[in-house]
Amino acid sequence: MRFADLAEAYERLEATPKRLEMRAILVELIRPLRPPELPRVLYLSQGMLRPEYEGVELGVADSLARRAVAAATGAEEAAVARRTKETGDLGSTTGELLGQVRRLEEKEPLTVASVYAELTRVAEAKGEGSQETKVRILTDLLVRAAPLEGKYLVRFVLGTLRVGVREMTILDALAVAFGDGSKATRTRIEAAFNLSSDLGLVAGVLVEHGVDGLASVGLEVGRPIRPMLAEREKNLAAVLERMGGRCALEYKYDGLRVQAHIPRHGPVRLFSRRLEEISAQFPELVTELPEAVRDAPAIVEGECVPVDLDTGDIQPFQEVSRRRGRKHDLAKAQEEIPVCLFAFDVLLAGGEPVYERPFPERRARLERLVRPTERVKLAVQRVVSDEESATRFFEEAIAAGGEGVMAKSLEPGSAYRAGARGYWWIKYKREYTVGLSDSIDGAVVGAFQGRGRRAGRYGAFLLAVYDPGRDRFESFCKVGSGFDDAALAEMPRRLAKFATEERPASVDTELTPDRWMRPGLVLEVRGAELTLSPIHRAALGRVRAGAGLALRFPRFTGRVRDDKSATEATTSAELLKMYRSQVRQETRSEADGEAGAP
Ligand code: ATP
């Protein structure tokens, strides 16, 4: 396939916000393809070279790309920078500049295969001299590129592809292009993706072995599974009712979710909630897991929390987040902030996949599998069938340093549902305020300059929830409280790579911050209540025409959600649900008051 055809498809994808139209463009694009080209086109279209969990990065900064653009077009670097300030996008600038270059001879057209191979070389260039190598490869590619190709090449290497193709749309397209397009087919394709976290692999199997062939895509040690997610309920009575009167309750540990892959031989690998490999951050778990888990190969899920090893007490989560991204002082961090893994599920035991078994069977298996050690333990669990015992267990969990409880269904259908959120698991956290019992994860889409003591640096941030249907980030609050000096001082560094001159097309808000941010960093906030607002755009018009949802008295909890990408922020639909349950509670208590007032 010619790379020009791909760039052309990107141009059309970018021009439409409609999911159906995007699907049609994708179907047309991928239908003629076969492996290895098909998986490559799918990875490229999502701005990646390999499935996300492999963590392959190009390592190309703006300045480096600018150098390559200048070299390939003969423009001055400063001129490239100036023009980019105006266009807001180095990709568009590249397209323009390439359009002005006079070609003396016909060049051989770029193909997807050659572009993919060269970009892989860019990613592989590491260490001394690698910057020069990267610039050289990029320059060579750009010299051969037509304007449209150059635009998307540059956007790809900068991680700003913006064609808006999400996994869900690709799954839709696969079902139409290589199956009968039915819901059943779509479900089977998605199931294979949830187990393998690799769209390229799934597409390859689908083309070569058909929909039935997807049954062969199973669990593999070393390849993360998309996590099962929980719904929420407003109180324990509602939790019990949902669960049919009986369920297992577990402590809800407040830490980092960890999926541990323990092979029979070789090193243990740990993956985060968003499937990044985090083995290097927790070497003590990597060493201790083979000792604690009796029957490898196994895949176990748990929550990693900081503990005081002398007392066994759980410590506040902020401690463990300080260990993220630390490379140099790991040994020191290990000593200062020891962590413990509380295992709560098992997906593979003794090489046998058990994720489809009902939860009680998995828990029994987990109890046989894990021999608790200093750093690997089982999540505390109790089966309850009345509100009073549930409340007692909840209080116990809070007293032990948990943030609430996780309720789990004991029904025959309680299989591990990879990648799905449902009422098989229900989270119930401690209520901080009457109205709003849960925290909200908001994507930073802008920053405001501080005043007074915060003068000269960012003092507040504009946060947004995500609407997957529209693929938009909708603002719901401006938050400045809850940041201590250290947290505030860190923000410019954390946000630097997302800063942009103009409002990103995916951001919806009536506010104008001092600095726009591409959605990338996620902050956890709490607030007093959700209200209707003319300025914020979350769930716009869903409650009342022209009004969005806003969080009153927002406060940063101190927790940066490094384990979530922007599209994993709280969704507009979730916010709306929180708003509605809050309204229901209020109406109920008013009604109670009327009926029961003496
Ligand atoms: P979500 O993962 O549902 O999108 P989130 O990441 O904001 O939301 P929470 O709302 O706090 O997390 O609750 C879900 C998380 O709780 C799980 O992803 C897991 O990391 C954690 N957790 C802690 N204890 C348990 C447990 N016993 N069983 C399952 N999950 C647990």
Side-chain angles (χ1 to χ4, degrees), residues 47 56 181 190 194 232 355 461 530 534 547:
V56 174
E190 185 172 350
N194 284 334
R232 40 169 87 79
Y355 63 94
F461 306 90
L530 290 166

Side-chain angles (χ1 to χ4, degrees), residues 219 299 345-349 351-358 361-362 365 415-416:
L219 298 192
I299 303 177
D345 217 322
V346 55
L347 311 177
L348 183 88
E352 181 201 344
V354 293
Y355 63 94
E356 284 177 311
R357 313 300 311 158
E361 262 184 58
R362 298 205 304 281
R365 191 71 185 250
Y416 187 94

Side-chain angles (χ1 to χ4, degrees), residues 229-230 250-253 257 273 303 344 379 403 406 408 421 425 427 429 441 561 564:
L229 301 172
E250 293 179 357
Y251 284 6
K252 185 173 182 315
Y253 301 93
R257 185 171 184 157
R273 183 187 177 289
E303 189 85 353
F344 57 70
E403 58 166 349
M406 196 60 128
K408 299 193 174 171
R421 192 184 292 285
W425 285 10
K427 53 192 176 188
K429 296 191 215 177
D441 296 325
R561 295 297 311 253
K564 283 195 169 183

